[in-house]
């Protein structure tokens, strides 16, 4: 990985990310591995926020990550078509979004794709989502699970604010958190019901949360 990923993410021309994805796909690297590498690059940029990198770099890296996802998403969706592909019945409803102040959505998009492929009905709110929008979506959809993502340590604290708000509003929904800035310890500390370290674990935890609601 190294600086190549970070260079591509910080490229204002948005050309390097195309070349990087094409080169890695041609060399036999699968889409998930490329996503992992890009996520690591985003995490590196996020960790350097306000010291090495600033708002402009964060915005550019977000654009480039999104462009990479547009290239890789069809491959991810194709690989995740499985036994549940034509299933009419949905396992449950999930509202998902990246928290307020954070514009990164590549990890969140992967989780949304995998949840959908496993039979969940997913309502993706996008990025920079505040507590009121989360609450409105949960009420409107009757969601079983709210999934929040944060890549930046500066934005993860907002997850605690959302959880506190939901408790005050007496909204009954299971809350799962994840993203580059989040750990199991942090999730426990803010009172989340589950933590997904990656998309595979997020799907497993979502299924477990549904079991606890029965």
């Amino acid at each position: 990985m190294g600086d190549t990923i970070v260079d591509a993410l910080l490229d204002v021309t948005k050309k390097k990310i195309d070349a990087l994805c094409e080169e890695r796909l041609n060399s036999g690297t699968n889409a998930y591995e490329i996503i992992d590498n890009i996520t690591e690059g985003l995490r590196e940029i996020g960790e350097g926020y306000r010291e090495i990198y600033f708002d402009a770099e964060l915005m550019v890296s977000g654009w480039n990550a999104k462009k990479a996802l547009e290239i890789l998403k069809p491959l991810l969706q194709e690989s995740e078509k499985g036994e549940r592909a034509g299933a009419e019945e949905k396992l449950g409803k999930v509202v998902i979004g990246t928290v307020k102040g954070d514009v990164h959505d590549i990890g969140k998009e992967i989780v949304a794709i995998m949840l959908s492929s496993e039979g969940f009905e997913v309502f993706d709110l996008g990025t920079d989502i505040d507590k009121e929008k989360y609450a409105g979506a949960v009420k409107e959809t009757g969601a079983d699970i709210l999934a929040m993502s944060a890549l930046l340590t500066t934005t993860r604290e907002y997850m605690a604010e959302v959880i506190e708000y939901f408790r005050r509003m007496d909204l009954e929904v299971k809350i799962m958190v994840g993203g580059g800035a989040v750990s199991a310890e942090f999730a426990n500390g803010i009172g989340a019901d589950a933590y997904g370290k990656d998309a595979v674990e997020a799907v497993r935890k979502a299924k477990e949360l549904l079991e606890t609601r029965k």
Side-chain angles (χ1 to χ4, degrees):
M1 191 196 84
D3 291 337
T4 310
I5 289 278
V6 173
D7 285 346
L9 288 170
L10 294 176
D11 174 34
V12 294
T13 71
K14 302 184 192 176
K15 292 177 182 174
K16 288 184 181 178
I17 200 73
D18 283 353
L20 182 139
C21 289
E22 185 179 352
E23 177 191 322
R24 298 207 172 190
L25 287 170
N26 288 341
S27 69
T29 307
N30 72 46
Y32 281 106
E33 286 180 65
I34 300 170
I35 292 291
D36 284 343
N37 290 341
I38 289 170
T39 303
E40 286 173 35
L42 287 172
R43 186 179 294 119
E44 186 178 326
I45 293 167
E47 286 170 355
Y49 182 51
R50 292 184 179 168
E51 292 179 10
I52 304 169
Y53 308 111
F54 299 93
D55 289 346
E57 284 86 357
L58 282 185
M59 286 183 66
V60 170
S61 66
W63 293 335
N64 281 313
K66 198 157 191 132
K67 192 170 186 188
L69 192 59
E70 286 170 7
I71 296 166
L72 300 170
K73 195 171 182 177
L75 300 174
L76 296 170
Q77 289 171 324
E78 187 64 33
S79 68
E80 285 303 320
K81 283 178 184 173
E83 295 175 4
R84 301 194 58 88
E88 293 290 330
E89 189 179 345
K90 296 293 182 183
L91 287 180
K93 296 178 180 180
V94 181
V95 166
I96 190 169
T98 305
V99 296
K100 182 179 177 181
D102 203 323
V103 298
H104 294 92
D105 64 353
I106 192 163
K108 181 261 303 168
E109 289 251 12
I110 304 301
V111 173
I113 290 168
M114 290 194 66
L115 284 169
S116 293
S117 72
E118 286 292 320
F120 287 89
E121 188 173 1
V122 179
F123 303 89
D124 189 345
L125 304 182
T127 63
D128 193 25
I129 306 302
D130 62 28
K131 57 194 176 190
E132 292 85 4
K133 190 165 183 179
Y134 280 128
V138 166
K139 287 179 187 174
E140 186 180 334
T141 62
D144 303 290
I145 298 168
L146 169 65
M148 293 188 284
S149 173
L151 182 79
L152 306 174
T153 53
T154 52
T155 61
R156 71 177 184 177
E157 296 300 331
Y158 191 73
M159 290 175 166
E161 194 173 323
V162 175
I163 290 172
E164 186 183 342
Y165 180 73
F166 269 58
R167 284 176 180 157
R168 286 204 314 271
M169 298 288 289
D170 203 25
L171 282 170
E172 294 215 4
V173 66
K174 294 292 185 180
I175 298 178
M176 178 166 63
V177 297
V182 183
S183 65
E185 292 73 21
F186 178 79
N188 288 334
I190 62 173
D193 296 298
Y195 160 71
K197 69 175 181 178
D198 55 31
V200 173
E201 185 172 294
V203 171
R204 182 171 63 80
K205 291 291 180 71
K207 289 178 178 178
E208 289 174 4
L209 288 176
L210 284 187
E211 288 298 317
T212 65
R213 288 180 64 87
K214 290 180 181 176

